[in-house]
Amino acid sequence: MKKEQYDTVQEQMTPETPYFLNSFKAFLVGGLICVIGQAIAYFYMIFFDFTEKTVGNPTVATMILLAALATGLGIYPKIAQFAGAGSAVPVTGFSNAVVSAAIEHRTEGYVLGVGSNMFKIAGPVIVYGTVAAFFVAIIKTILVMMGVVSW
Amino acid sequence: MKKQLFIICSCFFLLAGCTAKEKISTYNAQEEKTKVIQQEIEQMKSVQKAKILVLNHDLIVALDMKPFYAFKERKIASDLQKKLEEKWPNEEIIVSSDFKIAWEIGKVMEEKDEEKVQEKIAYLKKIVKEKT
């Protein structure tokens, strides 16, 4: 079989990816996660002394805790199966990546298993997140110095 | 049929919350400064709702922007603050687009006891400065 032939056969055999349906599901579930986050933010603002400026940290912490619990209880993987990127992009997806890796490598011991594998998936996010933040900060500093934008 | 009825009913009840309420609410509507600020805010196109609290030398304004102006809300609030500070340099002025400030002012709107309002103003001044 030639390469071209193989390609056409493979194309015929592969089922079509339902892009629109997947996007819709991701939009729906991702939006729902954000609605929960917003509700938690309002809860902290109404019942505690947080303002819009300071409410971010406790809200993110709570969402991470909830997602970690849901991962441990086996609920989050089911949501992820349905929603795809909708559950991976918010901060809850990051929490899921850390916790599921920790659970997976639990049998290898706490130091060489959990400790060294916990950030296997989340590690690159932290590294490139920090690098990107560094460059964005430099660009913004230059723009402020030039007087294009203000802090 | 039942499903359709449910959808129509839920749309109706959800949208019923969108009816226009009082645009600018004030603590003491007869106060002169309140009237001036009210006029100032009425001219602003970006403001959806506002709450004004004026007591003695303290002046707190909470703004709720239209969704289109949400990204500029802090700048709009600080512009108004500068304008008011120029007008009354001896007063302590806070102009904020923060939901928390609007919520707390809303709670003392009906309060008659001035001491309690003063306490609330002191509390708001404290949390506005908080950054972490």
Side-chain angles (χ1 to χ4, degrees):
Chain A
M1 197 184 275
K2 281 181 184 168
K3 193 177 175 288
E4 286 82 22
Q5 264 179 319
Y6 176 80
D7 283 345
T8 45
V9 171
Q10 191 229 14
E11 244 170 59
Q12 282 165 359
M13 299 281 278
T14 323
E16 245 179 78
T17 318
Y19 288 112
F20 281 103
L21 187 68
N22 284 353
S23 309
F24 183 70
K25 280 178 184 172
F27 173 76
L28 211 68
V29 176
L32 204 67
I33 290 170
C34 295
V35 167
I36 296 169
Q38 193 66 37
I40 291 170
Y42 276 118
F43 168 78
Y44 279 126
M45 277 194 277
I46 290 169
F47 295 106
F48 295 93
D49 298 346
F50 293 105
T51 57
E52 263 179 32
K53 211 188 274 177
T54 57
V55 81
N57 294 341
T59 307
V60 170
T62 313
M63 288 306 283
I64 286 173
L65 179 71
L66 288 180
L69 281 176
T71 307
L73 296 171
I75 303 164
Y76 208 87
K78 280 179 196 160
I79 300 170
Q81 193 86 47
F82 174 77
S87 65
V89 174
V91 76
T92 48
F94 185 74
S95 165
N96 171 260
V98 174
V99 174
S100 57
I103 292 170
E104 200 181 320
H105 295 278
R106 196 181 42 175
T107 48
E108 294 165 35
Y110 282 111
V111 178
L112 293 174
V114 175
S116 63
N117 291 304
M118 209 173 182
F119 289 97
K120 222 173 191 177
I121 310 162
V125 182
I126 297 171
V127 171
Y128 290 108
T130 316
V131 171
F134 173 74
F135 284 112
V136 169
I138 285 181
I139 292 167
K140 176 128 193 194
T141 311
I142 292 166
L143 287 180
V144 170
M145 280 164 77
M146 283 163 67
V148 182
V149 287
S150 64
W151 291 111
Chain B
M1 185 64 198
K2 262 188 181 175
K3 208 175 175 184
Q4 278 178 335
L5 200 70
F6 174 74
I7 291 168
I8 292 167
C9 281
S10 53
C11 279
F12 177 75
F13 285 119
L14 282 174
L15 293 174
C18 299
T19 45
K21 286 179 193 162
E22 199 179 0
K23 199 186 158 200
I24 300 172
S25 48
T26 52
Y27 174 66
N28 187 358
Q30 303 309 315
E31 237 268 324
E32 206 175 303
K33 285 175 208 155
T34 310
K35 284 180 190 167
V36 176
I37 300 168
Q38 201 165 349
Q39 280 173 356
E40 196 80 52
I41 292 173
E42 271 165 9
Q43 287 169 4
M44 292 163 79
K45 280 180 194 166
S46 54
V47 178
Q48 197 164 31
K49 273 187 220 163
K51 284 174 182 153
I52 306 166
L53 174 62
V54 180
L55 190 70
N56 305 329
H57 288 290
D58 290 308
L59 222 148
I60 300 181
V61 182
L63 302 174
D64 187 9
M65 307 292 174
K66 284 177 187 165
F68 192 67
Y69 295 91
F71 290 110
K72 288 187 202 162
E73 59 178 25
R74 281 190 195 166
K75 195 175 182 304
I76 293 168
S78 73
D79 284 350
L80 182 66
Q81 173 145 5
K82 272 177 203 157
K83 221 184 234 180
L84 297 181
E85 273 168 355
E86 271 172 27
K87 234 175 233 173
W88 300 294
N90 299 323
E91 315 284 325
E92 262 197 72
I93 300 166
I94 295 173
V95 181
S96 176
S97 57
D98 206 300
F99 168 79
K100 175 73 175 173
I101 308 294
W103 180 265
E104 292 294 335
I105 294 180
K107 277 206 275 189
V108 291
M109 275 297 176
E110 303 296 320
E111 187 64 61
K112 292 273 175 339
D113 189 3
E114 278 195 8
E115 219 167 87
K116 275 188 184 167
V117 180
Q118 204 70 56
E119 266 174 34
K120 185 64 86 178
I121 289 171
Y123 165 71
L124 287 178
K125 275 185 203 165
K126 200 184 110 194
I127 59 166
V128 157
K129 280 179 196 149
E130 192 72 51
K131 279 185 179 164
T132 50

